[in-house]
Protein backbone atom coordinates (compact mmCIF):
# COMPACT_ATOMS: atom_id res chain seq x y z
CA UNK A 1 0.00 0.00 0.00
CA UNK A 2 2.88 2.40 0.75
CA UNK A 3 4.20 2.17 -2.80
CA UNK A 4 0.74 2.90 -4.19
CA UNK A 5 0.41 5.94 -1.91
CA UNK A 6 3.82 7.16 -3.09
CA UNK A 7 2.63 6.87 -6.69
CA UNK A 8 -0.52 8.81 -5.83
CA UNK A 9 1.60 11.50 -4.16
CA UNK A 10 3.70 11.88 -7.30
CA UNK A 11 0.55 12.24 -9.42
CA UNK A 12 -0.72 14.82 -6.91
CA UNK A 13 2.54 16.74 -7.27
CA UNK A 14 2.10 17.04 -11.03
CA UNK A 15 -1.59 17.94 -10.54
CA UNK A 16 -0.63 20.78 -8.23
CA UNK A 17 2.06 21.95 -10.62
CA UNK A 18 -0.37 22.22 -13.54
CA UNK A 19 -2.99 23.93 -11.40
CA UNK A 20 -0.31 26.41 -10.34
CA UNK A 21 0.67 26.93 -13.99
CA UNK A 22 -2.92 27.82 -14.84
CA UNK A 23 -3.28 30.00 -11.73
CA UNK A 24 -0.05 31.83 -12.57
CA UNK A 25 -1.10 32.42 -16.15
CA UNK A 26 -4.40 33.85 -14.97
CA UNK A 27 -3.00 36.02 -12.16
CA UNK A 28 0.06 37.21 -14.09
CA UNK A 29 -1.83 37.32 -17.36
CA UNK A 30 0.08 40.12 -19.05
CA UNK A 31 3.65 38.91 -18.66
CA UNK A 32 2.80 35.32 -19.53
CA UNK A 33 0.72 36.44 -22.51
CA UNK A 34 3.75 38.45 -23.63
CA UNK A 35 5.73 35.20 -23.70
CA UNK A 36 3.20 33.60 -26.07
CA UNK A 37 3.01 36.79 -28.14
CA UNK A 38 6.79 36.96 -28.64
CA UNK A 39 7.14 33.26 -29.44
CA UNK A 40 4.31 33.33 -31.99
CA UNK A 41 5.39 36.61 -33.58
CA UNK A 42 8.98 35.33 -33.77
CA UNK A 43 10.20 38.87 -33.14
CA UNK A 44 13.20 37.86 -31.04
CA UNK A 45 14.65 35.05 -33.17
CA UNK A 46 17.85 35.45 -35.16
CA UNK A 47 17.57 38.62 -37.29
CA UNK A 48 18.58 36.82 -40.48
CA UNK A 49 16.31 33.80 -39.95
CA UNK A 50 14.37 32.76 -43.03
CA UNK A 51 11.70 31.12 -40.87
CA UNK A 52 9.83 34.33 -40.04
CA UNK A 53 7.13 33.52 -42.59
CA UNK A 54 5.73 31.12 -39.96
CA UNK A 55 4.99 33.95 -37.52
CA UNK A 56 1.51 34.59 -36.16
CA UNK A 57 1.21 38.31 -35.50
CA UNK A 58 -2.57 38.62 -35.19
CA UNK A 59 -3.28 39.60 -31.55
CA UNK A 60 -6.57 37.67 -31.57
CA UNK A 61 -4.87 34.45 -32.62
CA UNK A 62 -2.11 35.01 -30.07
CA UNK A 63 -4.69 35.49 -27.33
CA UNK A 64 -6.57 32.38 -28.48
CA UNK A 65 -3.33 30.38 -28.32
CA UNK A 66 -2.67 31.66 -24.81
CA UNK A 67 -6.18 30.73 -23.64
CA UNK A 68 -5.72 27.29 -25.20
CA UNK A 69 -2.56 26.83 -23.12
CA UNK A 70 -4.33 27.96 -19.94
CA UNK A 71 -7.31 25.67 -20.61
CA UNK A 72 -4.96 22.76 -21.32
CA UNK A 73 -3.04 23.39 -18.09
CA UNK A 74 -6.27 23.62 -16.11
CA UNK A 75 -7.71 20.47 -17.70
CA UNK A 76 -4.48 18.58 -17.04
CA UNK A 77 -4.40 19.69 -13.41
CA UNK A 78 -8.05 18.79 -12.85
CA UNK A 79 -7.74 15.36 -14.49
CA UNK A 80 -4.68 14.65 -12.36
CA UNK A 81 -6.46 15.87 -9.21
CA UNK A 82 -9.35 13.49 -9.91
CA UNK A 83 -6.81 10.74 -10.63
CA UNK A 84 -5.09 11.42 -7.30
CA UNK A 85 -8.35 11.06 -5.39
CA UNK A 86 -9.13 7.83 -7.23
CA UNK A 87 -5.65 6.42 -6.64
CA UNK A 88 -5.68 7.22 -2.93
CA UNK A 89 -9.17 5.76 -2.53
CA UNK A 90 -8.03 2.57 -4.27
CA UNK A 91 -4.63 2.29 -2.59
CA UNK A 92 -5.60 -0.62 -0.30
CA UNK A 93 -6.44 -2.92 -3.21
CA UNK A 94 -3.99 -3.67 -6.02
CA UNK A 95 -6.75 -4.42 -8.54
CA UNK A 96 -8.69 -1.26 -7.74
CA UNK A 97 -5.49 0.77 -7.89
CA UNK A 98 -4.65 -0.66 -11.31
CA UNK A 99 -8.17 0.19 -12.48
CA UNK A 100 -7.68 3.79 -11.29
CA UNK A 101 -4.40 4.29 -13.15
CA UNK A 102 -5.82 5.12 -16.63
CA UNK A 103 -7.14 8.51 -15.46
CA UNK A 104 -3.68 9.40 -14.15
CA UNK A 105 -2.10 8.13 -17.38
CA UNK A 106 -4.47 10.36 -19.37
CA UNK A 107 -3.63 13.40 -17.24
CA UNK A 108 0.11 12.81 -17.40
CA UNK A 109 -0.16 12.33 -21.16
CA UNK A 110 -2.02 15.64 -21.47
CA UNK A 111 0.83 17.33 -19.62
CA UNK A 112 3.50 15.65 -21.71
CA UNK A 113 1.67 16.64 -24.88
CA UNK A 114 1.37 20.27 -23.81
CA UNK A 115 5.08 20.60 -23.17
CA UNK A 116 6.40 18.09 -25.72
CA UNK A 117 4.10 18.90 -28.61
CA UNK A 118 3.12 22.45 -27.69
CA UNK A 119 6.31 23.93 -26.33
CA UNK A 120 9.12 21.81 -27.77
CA UNK A 121 7.76 20.83 -31.19
CA UNK A 122 5.50 23.76 -32.05
CA UNK A 123 7.05 26.58 -30.01
CA UNK A 124 10.64 25.38 -30.10
CA UNK A 125 10.89 24.16 -33.66
CA UNK A 126 8.03 25.59 -35.73
CA UNK A 127 8.25 29.07 -34.17
CA UNK A 128 12.04 28.76 -33.67
CA UNK A 129 11.85 29.58 -29.96
CA UNK A 130 15.29 28.00 -29.61
CA UNK A 131 16.70 31.04 -31.45
CA UNK A 132 15.43 33.51 -28.84
CA UNK A 133 17.55 34.48 -25.87
CA UNK A 134 14.72 36.43 -24.24
CA UNK A 135 11.63 34.26 -24.86
CA UNK A 136 12.91 30.70 -24.81
CA UNK A 137 10.91 28.25 -22.72
CA UNK A 138 12.64 25.07 -23.84
CA UNK A 139 14.58 24.53 -20.59
CA UNK A 140 11.41 24.88 -18.55
CA UNK A 141 9.47 22.63 -20.90
CA UNK A 142 12.19 20.00 -20.63
CA UNK A 143 11.95 20.04 -16.83
CA UNK A 144 8.20 19.49 -17.01
CA UNK A 145 8.59 16.70 -19.57
CA UNK A 146 11.15 14.96 -17.36
CA UNK A 147 8.99 15.26 -14.25
CA UNK A 148 5.82 14.08 -16.02
CA UNK A 149 7.67 11.29 -17.79
CA UNK A 150 9.30 10.02 -14.61
CA UNK A 151 5.97 10.07 -12.75
CA UNK A 152 4.33 8.22 -15.65
CA UNK A 153 7.05 5.54 -15.58
CA UNK A 154 6.82 5.18 -11.81
CA UNK A 155 3.03 4.98 -11.97
CA UNK A 156 3.14 2.25 -14.61
CA UNK A 157 5.84 0.21 -12.84
CA UNK A 158 4.48 -2.83 -11.03
CA UNK A 159 3.74 -2.06 -7.39
CA UNK A 160 3.04 -5.59 -6.16
CA UNK A 161 5.21 -8.65 -6.42
Amino acid sequence: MAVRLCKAALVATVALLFLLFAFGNLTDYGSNRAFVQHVLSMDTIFPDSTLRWRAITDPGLQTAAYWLIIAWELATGLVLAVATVRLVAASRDAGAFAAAKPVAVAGLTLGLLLYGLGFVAVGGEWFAMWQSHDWNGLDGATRFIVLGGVVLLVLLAPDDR
Side-chain angles (χ1 to χ4, degrees):
M1 181 172 141
V3 170
R4 291 191 288 270
L5 287 173
C6 289
K7 291 179 179 191
L10 291 173
V11 171
T13 299
V14 180
L16 177 61
L17 184 62
F18 274 89
L19 291 172
L20 289 173
F21 289 159
F23 180 74
N25 281 334
L26 291 170
T27 58
D28 190 17
Y29 185 87
S31 65
N32 290 310
R33 187 191 176 285
F35 176 86
V36 173
Q37 176 188 3
H38 285 289
V39 169
L40 295 181
S41 66
M42 302 174 74
D43 59 355
T44 61
I45 65 170
F46 299 159
D48 59 346
S49 178
T50 60
L51 302 176
R52 289 183 187 273
W53 63 270
R54 299 175 180 176
I56 296 175
T57 56
D58 180 271
L61 291 176
Q62 293 171 343
T63 299
Y66 185 43
W67 277 105
L68 176 63
I69 292 168
I70 294 169
W72 199 321
E73 290 168 339
L74 186 57
T76 301
L78 291 174
V79 168
L80 289 170
V82 168
T84 299
V85 170
R86 292 185 64 188
L87 290 170
V88 169
S91 64
R92 293 183 185 271
D93 178 80
F97 190 81
K101 284 183 182 182
V103 177
V105 170
L108 292 166
T109 301
L110 282 172
L112 290 169
L113 286 172
L114 176 60
Y115 285 96
L117 175 64
F119 281 74
V120 175
V122 175
E125 290 304 316
W126 183 257
F127 291 106
M129 184 169 58
W130 65 272
Q131 293 183 13
S132 177
H133 295 288
D134 298 323
W135 301 100
N136 186 336
L138 291 174
D139 286 343
T142 300
R143 286 192 301 273
F144 309 138
I145 291 168
V146 169
L147 176 63
V150 167
V151 172
L152 181 60
L153 292 174
V154 169
L155 178 69
L156 294 175
D159 46 68
D160 287 327
R161 293 181 187 190

